[in-house]
Amino acid sequence: MTSRKKVLLKVIILGDSGVGKTSLMNQYVNRKFSNQYKATIGADFLTKEVMVDDRLVTMQVTTKRAQAWCQSKNNIPYFETSAKEAINVEQAFQTIARNALKQETEVELYNEFPEPIKLDRNDRAKTSAEACTC
Amino acid sequence: MWVHPEEVLQASALWITERANPYFILQKRKGHGDGRGGLAGLLVGTLDVVLDSSARVAPYRILYQTPDSLIYWIIAHGCSRKEITEHWEWLEQNLLQTLSIFENENDITTFVKGKVQGIIAEYNKNHDVKEDDDTDKFKEAICTFRKLFGMPEEEKLVNYYSCSYWKGHVPRQGWLYLSINHICFYSYLLGKEAKLVIRWADITQLEKSATLLLPDAVKVSTRVAEHVFSVFLNINETFKLMEQLANIAMRQLLDNEGFEQDRSLPKLKRKTPKKVSALKRDLDARAKSERYRALFRLPKDEKLDGHTGCTLWTPFNKMHILGQMFVSTNYICFTSKEETLCSLIIPLREVTIVEKADSSNFLPSPVSISTKNRMTFLFANLKDRDFLVQRISDFLQQTTSKIYFERETTGSVNSSDDEVYSQQGSLLSSSPQRSSLGSEGSSEGERQFNLNDNSVPTATQALMTMYRRRSPEEFNPKLAKEFLKEQAWKNHITEYGQGVCMYRTEKTKDLVLKGIPENMRGELWLLFSGAINEMATHPGYYEDLVEKSMGKYNLATEEIERDLHRSLPEHPAFQNEMGIAALRRVLTAYAFRNPNIGYCQAMNIVTSVLLLYAKEEEAFWLLVALCERMLPDYYNTRVVGALVDQGVFEELAREYVPELYDCMQDLGVISTISLSWFLTLFLSVMPFESAVVVVDCFFYEGIKVIFQLALNVLHANIHQLLGAKDDGEAMTVLGRYLDSVTNKDSTLPPIPHLHSLLTDDGDPHPEVDIFKLVRSSYEKFGSIRADVIEQMRFKQRLRVIQTIEDTTKRNVVRTIVTETAFSIDELEELYVLFKEEHLTSCYWGGTGGSNPTERHDPSLPYLEQYRIDLEQFRGLFSLLFPWAPVNGAHADLLALRFFRLLDHNGDSLINFREFISGLSVLCHGDLTEKLKLLYKMHVIPEVTHEQEEPDSAFEATQYFFEDITPETSNGRPCPRQHARGYEIVCVVPMTLPHLPSQANLYVFLSLLQSQFIELCKTLYNMFSEDAQEQELYHATATVTSLLLEMGEVGKLFCHSKDQEDGPAQDGGTKPEGVFQQRGQGEGKEESQARPCGPAKRDGRGEQLSAMEEIRLEDSSPKDTGTSSSMLISDDETKDDTSMSSYSVLSGGSHELDDKLHCEDINDDTVLVRNGGLPHSTSIDKDWAITFEQFLASVLTEQALVLYFEKPVEVAARITNAKNVRKVGCSLLSASDYEISLSG
């Protein structure tokens, strides 16, 4: 696989209302935190270009309001993050990107239409959408 | 007029053919019309007179003839050329193409005859309707309708139309029946019957389609099929009614309120059962009222009384404008013929004088209406002036009395409140405010602000007033512009009047589009939205609501609390507790007013802006107007209204920005972005000071503005959007564009738009002027009309609601599929049948007395949304369940037993999961599971069928079961009733271990003899149509006799036991002892299933002894189940060894409990004591068997084993059930069943 190719990854953040999905997204993309957030109606959207393991990746981060957090996935990596203090935000998204990329190679190998990305249990954690909202 | 087709032998004699086509001939009587006529004409005339032929009055006729036949049929005649030409044209337009479809000429003849007869019948019907004594014809139709489609009396027929239904390639001529809940079609032609029943609730699309073949047709689509109807006499009327009925059905699916609202329809009728056509008229009136309310933004309950053409004197341009006057119970409205010229709303509460002025040639029959703030309106050219004035004064009288009443009540409330709560006093701005809006100038209004400001700082004023910085010393250009705007509005007020009754003209709209001045926003929003009317007619309502709602906590308040600080955080007004508290009060009060909506995100954003410009109470009423009138269904649980408008927007985009549409479809952008545009009226996506301009326009023009603007935003970005690679980029394009919309006129201190704060992409987007944006949206898309949007909304609503229904179905099926062996397809089919059953009960009311509206709650989890009661279960049971016997009486009984077993929570309703769990066992369960179920069904305590409240006893038992714990033993009263009408009460004391569930518990109970007999009956009935009937009956006989003997043995044992330790019983310790004796050490539980009833043969008890006696008897333990542990060596029973080994029971210690329970039961009317105890002689109360005995016995017979092991294919049953449904057979109301007990 040629590593110079630009890859587009879409990340969707789901979570209960008011937990700080937008904050997390903004901390990651703009490295900003504001106390004044408006409730997001519908979906919000930001783009960020990052380098993941030498590959240029454009991350599109979408915040979406979801009715309930899907409990069934127990093998999802866990990160305790703070959008305010910017703790673990970068790491969490990096992990997501890396795993997605790994998944992508598999997809390419088997040449089938992409299945939902499953993050495997050993490596990493997932972003709990928990920002400490003060 | 159309005539019943009659054969005519000689087509040409005495008649001249004027027009002809392959099927029809239009003829004129010889000698008619032309002055001369000649000899032939003279002769014909004479003949006609002599023979008194109809041709004398009807000199024109239309004949029908098939090309290859000599026979002509007369189908119409007319007395004028005009009349006959109309008929002719109708034939040409509607029939000719249809006829070319047929291959067989006889079919054509039948079709044409049927059609003409249909038209005549419909014509007659319509005329009868007009004469108001329709009833005979219509009654007949109702009877036919009910008989044909098996509809119950509750199903109200609205109207019926003659039309053709396209089945395959052949049209069937027949009748289309439209009833409240169904659309039905019936035709019988050439020995072929065509019958169609569709629920409105199943319709996914309803379209008036025009194809080459069928110029005017209605296409009705459901999930499974499309049906085309054509050749209507008046397609528009029919289609309108269809739309209306479909809409009602959608509303019913949508929310609870829909049910109540629309159920008032048939109720309304019930008062006047004779006038059936009243229903149609009622629906028409409803539709008219709805349009009227929408046009003038009137409150939801306003009913149009009538309207008439007239002129209105408009002083501002000194003209008499032609238009329509509308009169309703509380308002007189006027709109000019030329739409934009002028409209006027006069609330009767404002009216002081209505008088007839002197008529003149120049101004015939004028009426002048004066209002409290001394405006006078002059109407003229009123055709029925006297009647109109009478009508208005009637309404006026009602209004004034209402006002006095309200004044009195609110007055007293106010005074007392003021004394007690100073806080409340500040909220009471309603009454002075009302007058200020009506008559006072703005200066007075301001003074009032100051007054309140001094007393208590709450939101009796718009929050903005506190944050508005006026610096008059500095005369900057923005303030100058603002000043000019204010001047313009002041001029407008002097010229066009102030308050509700202002003349609203094109000029008003122009001013609005330029932006309402900051300090007039609240007032004008209130005026244009119509919220002012609701507020004026509900003085004190808001404070009451606040008082009632504050301090209450529920899901809505929790969500509100979470969003309070996330509504308009950038504005200083919401950076302190005062603004937040006002927002909390308004939102909470609304959630309290309308629990159907409660709270929905986005309401917070809109409300915070309303609070900035309007006083708290005004903001509340504005919110009411938004949620309930101007943005219908936007904020309910699934934001249906916004989804509908999103669909409308997509449709509009396809039409108006077609080049973008294809690309946008790919990008999926429209749906992603537009939701927030609609839900927040652009408030969350544009900078605040620009978005309020949108809100200004919205309150004046309605939703049309939002559509225009949204289209314009797309249009303005068309090139960037077309160049966007993915939806992400498209969203960024639109996001940045909207961020850059500015209001240059704004005098507000600049508030940074949050969104733009977060995205700093470096190069800022060039500024977009909001006023230019609005202007150009009118120029480009201003032609979109409100009624077109309504039409599109209807179509989208069908789609959205049916999609939601599908989602619900998928979710339910997905949850359940892992629990059963049914396939997804089967479950979906079953779900549909289940839902239909639920809907049926909603249509015609449940017989169980449970209110269907309580059963359908869209806010519940998917699985709980639809539930059915016993009555409905019965229908499904006989259709779907393998054991359902053909024999009606027993089927009902069995259904009842089954239902109560499935109803885990004892609320007399079962949801889909419970339903499936039962069906699943019957279809896919193994032998033991099936037998267990069968056993449980019969051991379950029964309830009397005649009881008023069938579930009371069951609830009682439920209660007892919940109390059961391993440590304590409880008495369990089993009130039962035998089919013959007497009752036996048995109290079963027992000690049980941890119980998986109540239903599972039943398997531990012993089967009494009477129950056993019922079980045998069930078995016999079950086999009655089986192929192996003979063998099965034989096997059953063997098994039952075996079991009977077993029971006898057990009884003997039990009796001896009884004598042994009868009186010596020593409470809880004894069972333990018995247990050990038996050497079944493992048993942690003993259960006793000892029947104890007032059976005649009981040596100790008197028949029908008092409850205490029964209970006392009970204290003597009996052992009925000893044999079971010995008999059973089945693996299945091993895993619950402890349970199966229960053999002993005794229960002295729970006397007290028993007593209590028994008394409870007594209160519950379960124990109805019938007079003489009937012959229970054959029933032995001591006789009992256990499940293990039952199971073991069945296993000995191969035929039975095979029967119960055989899996059942449910697919065939589903298909069958669907067919039955279609024909409507299952719709017959439940037959009264009689129970007879055999031996």
Side-chain angles (χ1 to χ4, degrees):
Chain A
M1 203 178 47
T2 60
S3 58
R4 289 296 116 200
K5 199 174 66 180
K6 205 170 165 181
V7 181
L8 179 74
L9 295 179
K10 292 183 185 181
V11 180
I12 295 174
I13 308 176
L14 304 172
D16 212 345
S17 104
V19 293
K21 298 175 291 295
T22 312
S23 297
L24 195 65
M25 174 175 90
N26 265 299
Q27 178 55 252
Y28 178 62
V29 178
N30 298 322
R31 290 173 206 282
K32 273 185 195 166
F33 178 81
S34 162
N35 274 323
Q36 296 182 0
Y37 272 113
K38 240 183 182 154
T40 310
I41 309 298
D44 211 343
F45 179 86
L46 289 176
T47 302
K48 176 170 177 140
E49 287 203 349
V50 290
M51 295 292 286
V52 179
D53 300 341
D54 261 5
R55 292 177 67 187
L56 187 61
V57 174
T58 311
M59 301 261 286
Q60 294 183 336
V61 188
T62 312
T63 345
K64 222 171 202 167
R65 182 171 179 265
Q67 293 292 346
W69 174 249
C70 168
Q71 302 259 345
S72 60
K73 322 262 176 222
N74 32 8
N75 59 348
I76 289 174
Y78 181 82
F79 273 112
E80 191 126 335
T81 59
S82 163
K84 190 183 185 188
E85 310 295 337
I87 298 166
N88 261 345
V89 176
E90 193 73 27
Q91 292 88 324
F93 279 98
Q94 283 277 336
T95 315
I96 291 169
R98 211 165 283 138
N99 279 280
L101 288 173
K102 200 189 289 167
Q103 194 80 16
E104 184 212 33
T105 44
E106 281 163 32
V107 170
E108 269 172 23
L109 283 177
Y110 295 105
N111 200 20
E112 280 179 3
F113 45 88
E115 283 166 24
I117 294 174
K118 256 193 185 160
L119 309 174
D120 54 73
R121 103 178 23 122
N122 311 333
D123 316 90
R124 120 305 338 219
K126 109 83 210 84
T127 54
S128 75
E130 280 169 12
C132 82
T133 40
C134 308
Chain B
M1 63 184 285
W2 303 100
V3 293
H4 286 281
E6 231 176 278
E7 276 187 44
V8 181
L9 285 177
Q10 292 227 297
S12 49
L14 311 180
W15 294 84
I16 306 161
T17 299
E18 292 205 323
R19 291 191 195 187
N21 62 38
Y23 298 102
F24 301 105
I25 304 168
L26 191 157
Q27 293 185 325
K28 191 183 82 173
R29 193 78 170 165
K30 268 182 189 159
H32 175 78
D34 39 356
R36 310 160 274 127
L39 185 65
L42 215 68
L43 212 87
V44 172
T46 318
L47 262 175
D48 286 346
V49 175
V50 171
L51 301 176
D52 197 27
S53 105
S54 65
R56 202 155 52 112
V57 284
Y60 295 94
R61 67 176 185 179
I62 295 175
L63 299 183
Y64 158 78
Q65 181 203 28
T66 50
D68 300 334
S69 131
L70 287 174
I71 303 166
Y72 294 85
W73 301 81
I74 178 167
I75 56 170
H77 60 70
C79 53
S80 72
R81 187 178 295 268
K82 188 169 164 258
E83 184 190 349
I84 207 73
T85 313
E86 266 171 27
H87 287 358
W88 180 258
E89 277 164 3
W90 188 88
L91 285 173
E92 280 193 323
Q93 277 164 17
N94 292 292
L95 274 191
L96 274 189
Q97 269 153 325
T98 310
L99 294 182
S100 60
I101 305 298
F102 290 100
E103 281 161 12
N104 182 333
E105 293 206 346
N106 284 337
D107 289 359
I108 302 186
T109 309
T110 325
F111 181 83
V112 171
K113 276 159 73 180
K115 184 79 230 171
V116 172
Q117 271 155 359
I119 291 171
I120 293 167
E122 192 176 331
Y123 178 85
N124 290 344
K125 174 194 74 181
N126 285 343
H127 281 253
D128 284 344
V129 168
K130 273 175 205 146
E131 284 155 21
D132 222 88
D133 56 353
D134 61 73
T135 44
D136 284 346
K137 272 252 155 48
F138 205 82
K139 258 191 217 152
E140 227 171 81
I142 290 169
C143 287
T144 326
F145 168 70
R146 283 200 197 124
K147 216 164 68 194
L148 282 177
F149 306 104
M151 295 292 176
E153 199 156 326
E154 289 83 1
E155 183 68 17
K156 304 292 180 199
L157 182 65
V158 181
N159 212 344
Y160 57 106
Y161 300 94
S162 153
C163 76
S164 305
Y165 167 58
W166 290 77
K167 200 175 181 180
H169 296 290
V170 184
R172 302 290 187 81
Q173 173 57 36
W175 291 93
L176 184 71
Y177 294 86
L178 304 181
S179 68
I180 292 290
N181 301 305
H182 295 85
I183 167 171
C184 304
F185 178 84
Y186 183 82
S187 88
Y188 185 81
L189 268 187
L190 304 169
K192 278 187 235 159
E193 197 179 41
K195 195 193 264 187
L196 190 71
V197 181
I198 308 170
R199 286 162 196 264
W200 290 115
D202 286 335
I203 285 175
T204 53
Q205 227 183 336
L206 189 63
E207 266 185 326
K208 202 155 56 173
S209 68
T211 59
L212 262 183
L213 192 66
L214 298 168
D216 268 333
V218 175
K219 193 167 85 183
V220 178
S221 313
T222 64
R223 287 182 181 80
V224 286
E226 280 182 2
H227 308 279
V228 176
F229 301 94
S230 68
V231 208
F232 289 96
L233 196 60
N234 183 351
I235 190 169
N236 288 329
E237 186 210 313
T238 316
F239 188 70
K240 223 172 71 192
L241 182 61
M242 289 167 91
E243 266 191 337
Q244 206 180 355
L245 291 168
N247 221 1
I248 290 174
M250 289 304 118
R251 293 230 69 87
Q252 290 183 339
L253 286 177
L254 188 59
D255 51 30
N256 283 337
E257 205 177 330
F259 277 123
E260 287 155 28
Q261 211 176 354
D262 296 309
R263 286 187 74 78
S264 70
L265 253 184
K267 259 178 217 153
L268 217 154
K269 267 210 54 244
R270 216 163 284 163
K271 287 177 202 154
T272 54
K274 296 264 165 68
K275 291 186 184 172
V276 184
S277 58
L279 192 52
K280 168 88 171 72
R281 269 177 283 174
D282 184 42
L283 282 167
D284 288 345
R286 247 177 208 244
K288 271 188 185 165
S289 286
E290 209 166 291
R291 280 198 299 275
Y292 164 69
R293 288 195 302 263
L295 189 59
F296 299 102
R297 306 257 157 78
L298 299 177
K300 279 216 109 168
D301 48 0
E302 194 61 20
K303 288 196 176 74
L304 179 64
D305 190 65
H307 58 100
T308 172
C310 69
T311 57
L312 171 69
W313 169 250
T314 47
F316 50 88
N317 58 3
K318 313 243 180 310
M319 274 171 66
H320 291 281
I321 302 182
L322 206 62
Q324 287 274 322
M325 177 200 249
F326 299 82
V327 178
S328 62
T329 38
N330 299 298
Y331 298 87
I332 300 170
C333 300
F334 173 86
T335 180
S336 57
K337 205 172 175 188
E338 199 181 321
E339 230 172 305
T340 53
L341 220 52
C342 177
S343 71
L344 187 64
I345 300 163
I346 311 170
L348 292 182
R349 60 175 191 274
E350 295 287 327
V351 172
T352 47
I353 305 164
V354 177
E355 60 185 346
K356 290 180 246 187
D358 291 334
S359 261
S360 68
N361 282 342
F362 176 64
L363 202 61
S365 50
V367 168
S368 80
I369 297 173
S370 309
T371 65
K372 284 179 193 147
N373 59 347
R374 287 181 221 98
M375 286 176 81
T376 301
F377 303 94
L378 185 63
F379 296 92
N381 291 301
L382 290 156
K383 279 194 199 85
D384 210 349
R385 182 171 67 155
D386 293 342
F387 179 74
L388 187 81
V389 170
Q390 185 54 46
R391 205 75 191 132
I392 293 176
S393 64
D394 286 351
F395 289 136
L396 212 51
Q397 233 156 17
Q398 292 167 19
T399 316
T400 44
S401 55
K402 229 183 290 169
I403 288 175
Y404 281 127
F405 180 70
E406 270 163 13
R407 285 238 175 97
E408 269 167 41
T409 50
T410 56
S412 63
V413 170
N414 284 3
S415 57
S416 62
D417 274 2
D418 276 339
E419 284 163 31
V420 186
Y421 318 102
S422 57
Q423 180 84 14
Q424 286 296 325
S426 66
L427 286 170
L428 291 170
S429 55
S430 64
S431 22
Q433 188 185 306
R434 198 156 45 126
S435 56
S436 89
L437 279 161
S439 58
E440 291 161 38
S442 57
S443 61
E444 259 180 292
E446 262 169 38
R447 197 189 48 184
Q448 202 183 321
F449 284 168
N450 297 336
L451 241 163
N452 282 331
D453 209 22
N454 294 340
S455 54
V456 195
T458 43
T460 36
Q461 51 183 297
L463 290 173
M464 196 60 110
T465 53
M466 291 172 220
Y467 298 94
R468 196 177 289 151
R469 279 181 228 148
R470 284 244 167 172
S471 41
E473 58 276 7
E474 276 180 67
F475 196 79
N476 72 42
K478 276 185 181 176
L479 283 179
K481 205 158 185 186
E482 182 77 2
F483 179 75
L484 286 178
K485 271 189 198 175
E486 282 171 24
Q487 278 308 313
W489 275 98
K490 275 178 190 153
N491 292 341
H492 184 273
I493 286 170
T494 35
E495 208 175 334
Y496 296 91
Q498 191 191 23
V500 210
C501 306
M502 82 165 41
Y503 295 96
R504 296 152 203 234
T505 65
E506 192 71 349
K507 185 92 187 298
T508 322
K509 184 170 136 188
D510 285 344
L511 280 180
V512 172
L513 296 197
K514 283 183 188 136
I516 298 174
E518 286 284 315
N519 60 1
M520 296 176 81
R521 272 211 166 96
E523 186 189 341
L524 290 174
W525 284 356
L526 213 58
L527 186 68
F528 294 140
S529 65
I532 191 170
N533 294 320
E534 277 137 328
M535 192 166 90
T537 47
H538 295 86
Y541 177 90
Y542 175 67
E543 338 142 18
D544 276 2
L545 211 56
V546 168
E547 205 172 322
K548 277 188 219 145
S549 63
M550 289 325 268
K552 297 239 165 67
Y553 296 96
N554 54 34
L555 189 65
T557 58
E558 199 181 295
E559 285 178 11
I560 290 169
E561 211 56 44
R562 213 183 292 164
D563 284 347
L564 286 176
H565 294 272
R566 313 197 298 147
S567 304
L568 201 62
E570 65 266 38
H571 198 283
F574 295 98
Q575 287 161 1
N576 60 58
E577 190 46 39
M578 195 169 96
I580 295 294
L583 185 59
R584 178 186 294 122
R585 280 193 297 269
V586 174
L587 289 174
T588 311
Y590 189 78
F592 198 76
R593 165 187 166 94
N594 189 347
N596 259 340
I597 288 179
Y599 168 74
C600 175
Q601 241 177 7
M603 280 164 78
N604 60 331
I605 294 178
V606 175
T607 309
S608 59
V609 175
L610 298 178
L611 275 169
L612 281 180
Y613 291 104
K615 293 164 209 159
E616 196 172 310
E617 189 189 15
E618 296 171 344
F620 171 79
W621 287 110
L622 282 169
L623 183 64
V624 169
L626 281 179
C627 294
E628 293 166 19
R629 290 191 283 111
M630 300 188 75
L631 298 175
D633 308 324
Y634 263 49
Y635 300 119
N636 65 18
T637 354
R638 309 205 199 284
V639 293
V640 173
L643 292 174
V644 166
D645 278 356
Q646 194 179 294
V648 172
F649 179 46
E650 279 184 40
E651 227 177 300
L652 288 170
R654 182 166 44 197
E655 196 180 330
Y656 288 91
V657 213
E659 60 274 39
L660 199 54
Y661 183 76
D662 294 334
C663 136
M664 294 289 274
Q665 279 304 83
D666 293 341
L667 301 180
V669 172
I670 292 187
S671 40
T672 326
I673 48 163
S674 54
L675 202 63
S676 60
W677 297 2
F678 291 108
L679 278 171
T680 65
L681 304 171
F682 285 98
L683 282 167
S684 67
V685 291
M686 270 187 201
F688 165 75
E689 66 277 6
S690 308
V692 287
V693 177
V694 178
V695 179
D696 288 344
C697 301
F698 171 76
F699 277 126
Y700 189 78
E701 281 269 50
I703 195 69
K704 149 186 159 73
V705 177
I706 306 295
F707 282 118
Q708 278 173 208
L709 210 59
L711 285 173
N712 204 20
V713 169
L714 290 188
H715 189 264
N717 290 283
I718 193 158
H719 297 297
Q720 290 98 310
L721 288 173
L722 285 172
K725 287 184 292 295
D726 54 43
D727 48 359
E729 201 177 326
M731 278 174 81
T732 316
V733 166
L734 292 170
R736 288 186 58 206
Y737 178 84
L738 290 167
D739 281 344
S740 68
V741 176
T742 47
N743 178 354
K744 291 208 186 80
D745 295 357
S746 172
T747 54
L748 302 172
I751 299 165
H753 183 40
L754 275 181
H755 198 263
S756 57
L757 242 177
L758 298 170
T759 48
D760 48 354
D761 281 296
D763 50 330
H765 192 278
E767 286 190 350
V768 181
D769 185 83
I770 181 65
F771 298 108
K772 280 186 190 149
L773 192 68
V774 169
R775 271 277 160 221
S776 75
S777 85
Y778 270 95
E779 282 156 16
K780 294 192 190 99
F781 309 105
S783 57
I784 299 170
R785 291 171 51 91
D787 50 345
V788 175
I789 292 173
E790 273 316 308
Q791 185 73 28
M792 289 164 111
R793 273 179 170 176
F794 163 74
K795 197 173 141 194
Q796 295 295 335
R797 195 174 300 132
L798 276 180
R799 184 188 59 83
V800 167
I801 290 175
Q802 296 294 16
T803 312
I804 290 175
E805 289 295 306
D806 287 344
T807 312
T808 309
K809 179 170 80 179
R810 261 202 310 280
N811 276 301
V812 168
V813 168
R814 214 180 284 158
T815 336
I816 287 187
V817 75
T818 51
E819 300 167 12
T820 79
F822 291 117
S823 71
I824 289 192
D825 289 345
E826 285 167 346
L827 282 176
E828 290 198 342
E829 300 275 17
L830 288 168
Y831 179 81
V832 170
L833 288 169
F834 189 86
K835 183 180 137 192
E836 276 177 7
E837 202 52 63
H838 168 90
L839 287 177
T840 306
S841 76
C842 295
Y843 296 160
W844 305 321
T847 40
S850 52
N851 182 358
T853 60
E854 284 163 19
R855 242 174 293 159
H856 177 70
D857 184 350
S859 62
L860 284 175
Y862 290 124
L863 201 67
E864 300 287 332
Q865 281 196 16
Y866 294 109
R867 286 175 286 173
I868 58 173
D869 67 12
L870 173 61
E871 203 58 52
Q872 298 155 341
F873 177 73
R874 252 182 212 141
L876 286 176
F877 179 75
S878 60
L879 284 173
L880 290 171
F881 282 61
W883 294 349
V886 196
N887 166 358
H890 199 75
D892 284 338
L893 208 58
L894 200 62
L896 173 77
R897 292 202 175 103
F898 213 139
F899 182 82
R900 296 185 44 235
L901 192 62
L902 295 178
D903 183 15
H904 292 304
N905 60 359
D907 62 357
S908 296
L909 294 173
I910 58 173
N911 67 25
F912 189 60
R913 171 183 264 144
E914 290 167 333
F915 177 77
I916 286 298
S917 72
L919 188 58
S920 182
V921 169
L922 256 58
C923 292
H924 304 298
D926 63 19
L927 174 98
T928 324
E929 281 171 336
K930 285 183 189 167
L931 289 177
K932 228 180 212 167
L933 189 79
L934 186 64
Y935 183 86
K936 284 193 280 189
M937 268 164 62
H938 290 85
V939 85
I940 194 169
E942 266 175 54
V943 201
T944 62
H945 308 294
E946 293 86 353
Q947 251 170 350
E948 306 279 297
E949 300 156 305
D951 46 341
S952 58
F954 193 56
E955 273 162 14
T957 50
Q958 167 83 9
Y959 166 74
F960 296 124
F961 276 109
E962 278 164 4
D963 272 353
I964 291 168
T965 59
E967 292 82 25
T968 61
S969 51
N970 269 328
R972 176 172 157 268
C974 307
R976 10 180 313 114
Q977 190 225 10
H978 278 264
R980 278 188 188 159
Y982 66 87
E983 287 159 43
I984 291 182
V985 176
C986 54
V987 179
V988 184
M990 59 194 162
T991 314
L992 287 172
H994 300 284
L995 296 166
S997 82
Q998 175 203 343
N1000 286 345
L1001 182 94
Y1002 292 128
V1003 90
F1004 306 121
L1005 298 175
S1006 290
L1007 199 64
L1008 306 183
Q1009 191 170 35
S1010 53
Q1011 293 169 327
F1012 174 69
I1013 291 165
E1014 286 296 305
L1015 181 91
C1016 298
K1017 271 172 69 187
T1018 306
L1019 284 172
Y1020 279 114
N1021 278 302
M1022 201 186 284
F1023 304 141
S1024 65
E1025 271 196 346
D1026 199 274
Q1028 269 78 45
E1029 205 179 50
Q1030 293 285 321
E1031 287 169 53
L1032 285 167
Y1033 279 159
H1034 186 263
T1036 313
T1038 317
V1039 168
T1040 46
S1041 51
L1042 185 66
L1043 282 167
L1044 268 172
E1045 284 169 30
M1046 255 180 225
E1048 289 298 324
V1049 174
K1051 188 176 82 178
L1052 287 177
F1053 190 71
C1054 154
H1055 269 298
S1056 58
K1057 196 91 184 79
D1058 188 23
Q1059 279 158 5
E1060 272 175 39
D1061 32 38
Q1065 194 49 261
D1066 186 15
T1069 62
K1070 191 62 189 175
E1072 214 69 4
V1074 175
F1075 217 73
Q1076 281 154 11
Q1077 261 180 356
R1078 295 266 152 76
Q1080 309 254 355
E1082 270 181 77
K1084 291 189 203 94
E1085 77 294 310
E1086 313 101 86
S1087 87
Q1088 127 116 34
R1090 196 191 83 62
C1092 190
K1096 271 192 172 174
R1097 290 224 185 130
D1098 190 337
R1100 292 156 294 148
E1102 291 287 310
Q1103 65 178 48
L1104 270 192
S1105 54
M1107 288 306 298
E1108 287 87 351
E1109 284 176 73
I1110 294 169
R1111 191 187 41 69
L1112 279 172
E1113 283 168 36
D1114 192 51
S1115 64
S1116 54
K1118 297 193 180 167
D1119 183 355
T1120 53
T1122 26
S1123 48
S1124 70
S1125 54
M1126 304 168 200
L1127 274 166
I1128 301 301
S1129 58
D1130 187 52
D1131 276 341
E1132 211 280 331
T1133 50
K1134 276 251 162 69
D1135 61 21
D1136 17 55
T1137 31
S1138 49
M1139 313 190 178
S1140 62
S1141 62
Y1142 64 99
S1143 30
V1144 205
L1145 57 329
S1146 60
S1149 69
H1150 34 269
E1151 288 183 19
L1152 247 163
D1153 286 343
D1154 287 349
K1155 187 160 193 171
L1156 280 170
H1157 298 325
C1158 290
E1159 277 162 8
D1160 283 350
I1161 292 293
N1162 235 348
D1163 290 344
D1164 270 347
T1165 76
V1166 177
L1167 301 171
V1168 180
R1169 256 171 240 164
N1170 297 352
L1173 239 214
H1175 344 281
S1176 60
T1177 41
S1178 60
I1179 296 191
D1180 189 333
K1181 73 160 185 78
D1182 287 335
W1183 187 98
I1185 56 161
T1186 65
F1187 172 65
E1188 286 71 21
Q1189 291 169 322
F1190 173 63
L1191 177 64
S1193 312
V1194 170
L1195 284 171
T1196 59
E1197 283 298 326
Q1198 187 65 13
L1200 288 176
V1201 171
L1202 282 178
Y1203 180 86
F1204 283 108
E1205 271 182 343
K1206 185 179 60 192
V1208 178
E1209 202 47 67
V1210 79
R1213 286 171 182 277
I1214 293 172
T1215 322
N1216 175 45
K1218 283 202 302 203
N1219 290 338
V1220 171
R1221 280 295 152 76
K1222 249 179 223 151
V1223 189
C1225 294
S1226 70
L1227 298 174
L1228 51 101
S1229 53
S1231 55
D1232 293 354
Y1233 52 93
E1234 286 178 351
I1235 309 114
S1236 59
L1237 182 68
S1238 63

